Each structure stands twice: as structure tokens, then as C-alpha cells.
Amino acid sequence: MSTPSVLKLITNLIDEDWIEKKGYGVSMGGRKPDLYGLKDKKVLIICIDIELFHTKIAIVDNNYNYIVEAQTTPLPISKSTRSDFFSILSRHVQDILKAHNIANEQLIGCSVGMPGLIDSEKGKSYSYFLGDAEDISLTAAFEKMLNLPVIIQNDVNGSSMAEFTHGMAKGKQNALILLMDWGVGLGIIMDGKLRKGACGFSGELGHIPFVENGALCYCGKHGCLETIASGNALSEMAKEGILSGKNSMLNKLSKEELQRIEPAVIIEAANKGDQYAIQLLSNIGTYMGKGIAVLIQLFNPELIILSGKIATAKQYITLPMQQAINTYCMTQIRERTTIVSSELGENSRLLGYATTGIDHFLEACIRKAAKSKARPIQQ
């Protein structure tokens, strides 16, 4: 575009209250260029983070400010049918919009993240809601419920996008994001791009067989990494130990709490000096360290970021993890890799969903506008 066209466009956007001056850019020798950007709250997006046992909902604007902070509801994906799940979720979303006086016209769309195998292009989940009779994609079902455009993605990709655009992976060319939650997932940044694979299924680290004749994983294989180094594994090991008579603060848990011990409870016990809790976390760190050693030799990353519920255990897993890496990884490669814990907080995935969603929906709006203005070629 010519300079007069650019200036006219900027003036029009300022007059219509869409953009504002944000400061100055870097000069290459002359006068510093003016920088402009969207004003706050010009575009809003609903972000939904679906976990195994909880669902979080937030509303974020185009500059990644939380218009509505993350709200958690005990809505489990693991034991819900699609119709039941959508019925409850729809009520929560509508209640939030009503409480904050947000109309559908203010929303550009909804970005949804969830665990398992997710094909974003087809809008399908290959891990959950598989038995539902409704013959439409998961994306279409969300769009029908919300009356908004929707994009769905894997939760690991959400964490990875958050780190890549707002966190410690920003500006990095080769980095790995290890999501250690109820499951185990891997985000891959190579050559400065987030790599999702042919169908968006890359990074299924948790379902690589790791133990010969190990426990049966819910994916159908035996001995997957998730059976020994995930939040689910940690919870199961803690429960088995307590029921067998291990001496621990965790003995104070009720029968209901013991059925599914949250990783945060075990980490809290470790922070209070509980030796059984410390040993459980150490075992997780050792197993994970062996897996990371393989990743380092495969990808030669400059940075590995630990995120998720288990990552908050910090030294209780990082010290045994580093020992395992030292044991199983080539010295020349591991010395060039830095391992850190995420600093974005427990709601970082929502930030990643917002980033992906806003980019996706704005590009769709631009394509639609360009198509509507295109003139037919005269023969």
C-alpha cells in the first residue's frame, strides 16, 4: 500500500475509535515509526478450558485482558454425554454473559480446548463424546449451542501457544512445552513455529509405551508413560499407598477425597515435609526425566518448559528429573538445553486459546470482507 493510503486507513480507524497510538517502534537510522494497535475491549472472545473433572470459562479481549476472570465449574468431561455436558455448560455461559452485560454482538467467537486427540480442521474429538448419536462435529455442536463461530483444539496446543506468544518460549526457535496435568502432553516449537502434525495429533508423549508389561492405560495399551508419570498416576499411587497403610498426612483424607486425590493436595503435603508425598513426587520426576532425556536427543531443544498441575511441585520433581536426564541423555546435547517451570499461572491455557481464537476469527473476517468486495473479472 502507498503511504497516503496507509495514513488514510489509520485516520479512518482512529476516527471510528478502533485503534490508538501505542508508542514508537525501533528506528533503523531515521525518525522512529509510530506504532498503532487495537484499543482494549474492541473484540471479545469466550475461552473454555475443558479438563477431566472441571471446566473453566473466561472472556478475554483483543489485547488479552480478562474481561471475565476464569470461573471454574465441576463439570467433568470424563463422565458426561454430549447432551448433558452442553446443557450444563450452556447455562453457565449464559449466566456469565448476563451477569456482565455482554451481548453476542460483542463476541467474535469461542475458543475451546480439551484433552485427547483433537482434529481442529474437522472439529472432531477422537477421545470424548464418541458414543453420542448427534451426527454433527463437535465444533458444529458448540456453534449450535452458542450461536457463535467456534474453534476447538488440544489443551497442550493451548499451553504451547500461551508460552510461545506470552511466556518463556517467546522468541525461541526450538522449544518444548511439557504439559504435566492429569495426563501428559507435549507441545513442539521447531524453527520458530508451533508444530501440530498432519491432523493436530503431535505430542502424544503420554501414550508412548514406557514400561514392559505395565499397567493398562485408558488408551488400550500397557505401560504408557501416563500410567506412571501423570496426575492420574500420582493420584492412584497415593490412594494405593494410603489404603495399604503408608504413614502420611494424606491419611486424614475422607473416603470421598481419597477416591480422586488432587495433585495439589499431595504437593501441599510434600511442602509440609510429608516423606511419603515427597517420595511419590520424586518417582514422577524420575520417570518424567527419563522421557525428557529421549525428547532432548530427538529434538535438541534450547528450552523445555514444564507446565500443568504437576509442574507446581517444582524441586520435588525437578531434582530427580535432572538426575534421570543426566543418567540417560548424552552430555553434549543435554548441556545445551535449559529446563524451566512456566511462569504464566494455572490459567495459562485460556490465554493460549484466546490467542489462537482471535487470530483465527479475525483472519476469517478479513477473508470474508475481501471476498465480498472482490469484483468479477470481465471476459
Side-chain angles (χ1 to χ4, degrees), residues 4-49:
S5 295
V6 171
L7 293 175
K8 182 180 179 181
L9 179 60
I10 289 174
T11 301
N12 288 342
L13 289 170
I14 292 173
D15 290 344
E16 293 180 16
D17 200 37
W18 273 92
I19 66 172
E20 62 185 355
K21 190 173 180 180
K22 297 286 187 178
Y24 298 96
V26 178
S27 171
M28 301 301 289
R31 184 173 68 89
K32 291 183 178 181
D34 294 329
L35 295 181
Y36 291 86
L38 283 172
K39 284 189 165 187
D40 290 346
K41 301 181 182 180
K42 301 308 293 184
V43 172
L44 305 184
I45 185 169
I46 301 174
C47 299
I48 301 175
D49 185 21

Side-chain angles (χ1 to χ4, degrees), residues 149-373:
V150 173
I151 182 174
I152 67 169
Q153 61 210 282
N154 177 267
D155 54 359
V156 179
N157 288 333
S159 292
S160 302
M161 182 57 73
E163 295 293 345
F164 191 33
T165 54
H166 304 279
M168 301 175 79
K170 190 174 184 178
K172 300 297 182 184
Q173 291 295 303
N174 296 282
L176 301 176
I177 293 85
L178 195 62
L179 179 60
M180 299 183 295
D181 232 309
W182 288 109
V184 178
L186 177 70
I188 304 166
I189 296 169
M190 292 181 64
D191 303 322
K193 294 182 179 180
L194 181 60
R195 305 293 185 177
K196 300 180 182 180
C199 303
F201 296 165
S202 67
E204 285 295 330
L205 175 67
H207 296 292
I208 295 177
F210 203 77
V211 179
E212 192 71 24
N213 299 318
L216 178 65
C217 181
Y218 65 87
C219 74
K221 301 193 298 293
H222 286 269
C224 292
L225 183 60
E226 281 200 13
T227 65
I228 54 173
S230 65
N232 273 324
L234 179 64
S235 181
E236 283 298 313
M237 288 187 288
K239 182 173 69 173
E240 290 173 7
I242 296 305
L243 292 176
S244 67
K246 292 288 186 180
N247 184 23
S248 169
M249 295 177 185
L250 301 175
N251 284 307
K252 298 177 182 178
L253 296 174
S254 66
K255 288 183 179 180
E256 290 75 19
E257 291 171 325
L258 194 59
Q259 283 303 309
R260 181 175 54 80
I261 306 174
E262 293 276 350
V265 174
I266 299 170
I267 294 169
E268 182 181 0
N271 287 329
K272 292 178 180 178
D274 188 296
Q275 293 302 302
Y276 179 57
I278 291 172
Q279 185 58 57
L280 286 173
L281 293 169
S282 178
N283 292 341
I284 295 287
T286 298
Y287 292 134
M288 192 62 70
K290 191 173 181 179
I292 290 174
V294 175
L295 295 176
I296 290 174
Q297 298 198 166
L298 281 175
F299 294 103
N300 184 208
E302 57 188 304
L303 179 69
I304 296 177
I305 302 173
L306 309 178
S307 66
K309 292 178 172 63
I310 307 298
T312 60
K314 296 188 177 178
Q315 73 272 12
Y316 296 116
I317 61 163
T318 55
L319 292 178
M321 182 183 289
Q322 189 62 61
Q323 181 60 47
I325 293 171
N326 293 342
T327 301
Y328 296 108
C329 190
M330 295 174 65
T331 304
Q332 297 90 335
I333 305 178
R334 75 165 188 263
E335 288 181 346
R336 298 174 182 269
T337 302
T338 301
I339 301 176
V340 298
S341 295
S342 173
E343 296 179 346
L344 291 180
E346 63 178 351
N347 295 323
S348 63
R349 285 202 293 272
L350 291 165
L351 198 59
Y353 301 153
T355 303
T356 301
I358 289 172
D359 287 349
H360 175 83
F361 296 131
L362 284 180
E363 285 177 7
C365 287
I366 292 170
R367 287 195 301 269
K368 183 178 179 181
K371 186 176 180 180
S372 66
K373 291 181 180 180

